[in-house]
Amino acid sequence: MSSELTLELSSKSFDGYQYVYSHDSFTVDCTMKFGVYVPTIADNECVPLLIFLSDLTSNEQNFITQTGVQRLASKYGFIVANPDTSPRGCNIEGDRDQRDFGEGAGYYIDATEDKWSNNYQMFSYVNDEFYELIIRNFNVDISRIGIFGHSMGGHGALISFFKCPGQYKSVSAFAPICSALKCEWSRNAFTKFLGQDETLWKEYDACELVSLYHGPMPYAPVLIDLGSNDQYKDDYLFPDKLLEACCNASFPIQLRQQIGYEHGYFFVMTFLEDHFKYHKNEFEHLK
């Protein structure tokens, strides 16, 4: 293990270990924590990697303590890594005033406004620094890497897939913010992070990016799950906009509305294995 990582937690779970590490990030200029589950099989061979991006207000703990992901990562033999959702402890005025902006709410974008641009570089952190950090320190099969996420993290997973063609072999999402240009949460954040020019905002909107995507196509339609009782779906998530955009771009997508389910981790926990199966299938059909 590289000296660049500091071990914060090591817990035996199923056939592997759940770890939490911290490291000094040069991209967001602060100490960042992340979770990573490593199955025992990775001691002897390279295994697939799934990167999970979490939702608003979450940190590196929520996903690993509220979904039972360790059982599935052990069963399928995947390394599963999950970064934090924003920089922490940067002491920027206003970064802790709202639940939908700042700490815990970095939206996986790279800020351009001076006040925020030194630290809030979460797109580059996830897709460059964190991505390379995991590959460098764990036994990852670099030909089988997927990304998925929940809510704000679902948005992050989709834009990462579209903006980094070929880097991720698969993508899926739980109740993602599908149109950041329309969502009140992200509009508030984008105004502060990116300024008033909405042409910059389009660079981080899944509905805009799918029309520009020219990378490898998925074997099966990208899996999106959404609860029918999700209190945010109509005013914040806009799944119909993503369906329309994917249809216009001839990009395959499967949006499943799960009857009776809401937005939180009980919903994610229920359908998490379906997403593992989806990514496993994509890895098995790599061209």
Side-chain angles (χ1 to χ4, degrees), residues 4-258:
E4 65 189 321
L5 299 182
T6 300
L7 181 64
E8 304 283 349
L9 170 75
S10 173
S11 292
K12 176 75 172 176
S13 183
F14 297 92
D15 184 26
Y17 282 84
Q18 177 65 59
Y19 300 109
V20 173
Y21 288 96
S22 62
H23 73 108
D24 292 329
S25 169
F26 58 82
T27 304
V28 297
D29 196 23
C30 69
T31 298
M32 295 289 281
K33 291 183 178 180
F34 66 89
V36 58
Y37 181 85
V38 182
T40 302
I41 190 175
D43 293 343
N44 300 308
E45 62 184 83
C46 293
V47 302
L49 166 67
L50 290 182
I51 294 175
F52 182 87
L53 305 183
S54 294
D55 58 324
L56 280 169
T57 75
S58 291
N59 58 24
E60 82 289 342
Q61 288 291 321
N62 298 75
F63 179 61
I64 65 176
T65 59
Q66 297 183 40
T67 65
V69 63
Q70 295 82 7
R71 179 183 67 85
L72 296 174
S74 174
K75 177 179 177 179
Y76 287 88
F78 290 176
I79 292 172
V80 181
N82 58 296
D84 201 349
T85 55
S86 75
R88 303 275 176 177
C90 299
N91 297 316
I92 305 172
E93 182 183 2
D95 68 353
R96 298 183 186 181
D97 293 348
Q98 299 172 278
R99 68 176 297 275
D100 59 357
F101 175 77
E103 285 200 0
Y107 291 88
Y108 306 104
I109 69 174
D110 286 347
T112 56
E113 292 293 289
D114 288 344
K115 182 177 179 179
W116 307 101
S117 60
N118 185 60
N119 301 107
Y120 281 80
Q121 298 289 303
M122 286 301 294
F123 183 86
S124 292
Y125 174 74
V126 168
N127 296 294
D128 296 330
E129 184 178 3
F130 181 71
Y131 179 91
E132 294 294 338
L133 188 74
I134 298 300
I135 291 173
R136 191 163 59 246
N137 286 282
F138 301 95
N139 212 4
V140 173
D141 179 349
I142 60 172
S143 70
R144 294 184 292 170
I145 300 177
I147 191 167
F148 64 148
H150 172 219
S151 192
M152 179 185 74
H155 146 80
L158 290 170
I159 65 172
S160 295
F161 181 84
F162 291 137
K163 287 173 72 67
C164 304
Q167 180 165 321
Y168 303 103
K169 302 305 186 288
S170 54
V171 62
S172 68
F174 298 91
I177 297 173
C178 295
S179 179
L181 287 172
K182 292 186 173 295
C183 174
E184 180 182 340
W185 298 327
S186 47
R187 288 188 62 85
N188 172 53
F190 283 19
T191 299
K192 295 174 181 176
F193 285 144
L194 302 174
Q196 298 292 334
D197 185 358
E198 294 194 15
T199 59
L200 295 178
W201 301 12
K202 292 181 180 180
E203 296 179 14
Y204 298 103
D205 183 292
C207 292
E208 298 289 334
L209 292 171
V210 67
S211 66
L212 305 174
Y213 179 72
H214 297 295
M217 298 297 280
Y219 174 77
V222 167
L223 178 60
I224 309 287
D225 274 321
L226 179 70
S228 66
N229 289 358
D230 191 315
Q231 64 271 40
Y232 302 120
K233 66 177 181 179
D234 294 327
D235 296 326
Y236 296 93
L237 305 182
F238 300 100
D240 292 344
K241 293 296 182 183
L242 183 61
L243 275 177
E244 180 183 358
C246 288
C247 180
N248 291 339
S250 298
F251 184 86
I253 186 173
Q254 179 186 18
L255 176 62
R256 305 191 310 184
Q257 185 161 222
Q258 304 294 357

